[in-house]
Amino acid sequence: MKRLLLASCCALVCSVLAAGCGGSSAALSPGRFAGTYNGTWVHTTDLTDAGTSTWTFSPDGAIDGTDTDPGRHTTFHVVGHIDAVGHVTTTSTPTGGDPATLTGTLAFDVQSRLSGILVWGVTPPLNYRYTLTRQ
């Protein structure tokens, strides 16, 4: 009887662990970010350096979007990738200008927006807070 009870308990624990592992791996995929987002970006120390963004994340994590800088009358084409945990690696190319990297981590905040600091890879590097809302 003890063996049967022990075997049942082991089977239950294993099935709970397997379900938990399966659920967490499914939740941690780039697909959780899929959709089109609109939002804002702002320099972390110069609040006058700010603009808007429209980014689309595909289920495989590909990013394609635009950042608009009204102060410079410039639009940036942003292409790249977001991984399962929100690490962003992109190239941001201004109209008629040279590309620069834009990297960092985005995460869902308590209001279900994607938010985080991305670093524009120019000299010196510039830090921007992005806040994006899924449409």
Side-chain angles (χ1 to χ4, degrees):
M1 183 68 168
K2 285 183 181 180
R3 285 186 187 180
L4 180 60
L5 182 58
L6 182 60
S8 296
C9 288
C10 287
L12 178 63
V13 168
C14 288
S15 65
V16 168
L17 288 174
C21 292
S24 64
S25 65
L28 286 181
S29 77
R32 69 192 182 110
F33 301 109
T36 298
Y37 294 75
N38 292 321
T40 60
W41 53 266
V42 62
H43 191 280
T44 57
T45 60
D46 177 4
L47 301 181
T48 65
D49 185 7
T52 59
S53 297
T54 300
W55 288 17
T56 299
F57 297 83
S58 68
D60 67 356
I63 298 170
D64 187 21
T66 58
D67 286 352
T68 302
D69 184 341
R72 293 177 30 189
H73 306 287
T74 303
T75 299
F76 296 81
H77 185 207
V78 179
V79 294
H81 187 265
I82 189 168
D83 71 11
V85 294
H87 296 142
V88 173
T89 304
T90 67
T91 301
S92 177
T93 307
T95 303
D98 294 325
T101 59
L102 185 63
T103 60
T105 302
L106 296 174
F108 288 108
D109 65 15
V110 296
Q111 296 168 328
S112 298
R113 300 175 302 184
L114 275 180
S115 183
I117 303 293
L118 300 182
V119 179
W120 198 32
V122 295
T123 303
L126 302 171
N127 296 325
Y128 291 89
R129 170 157 297 283
Y130 277 74
T131 304
L132 306 168
T133 303
R134 186 179 287 158
Q135 300 306 300

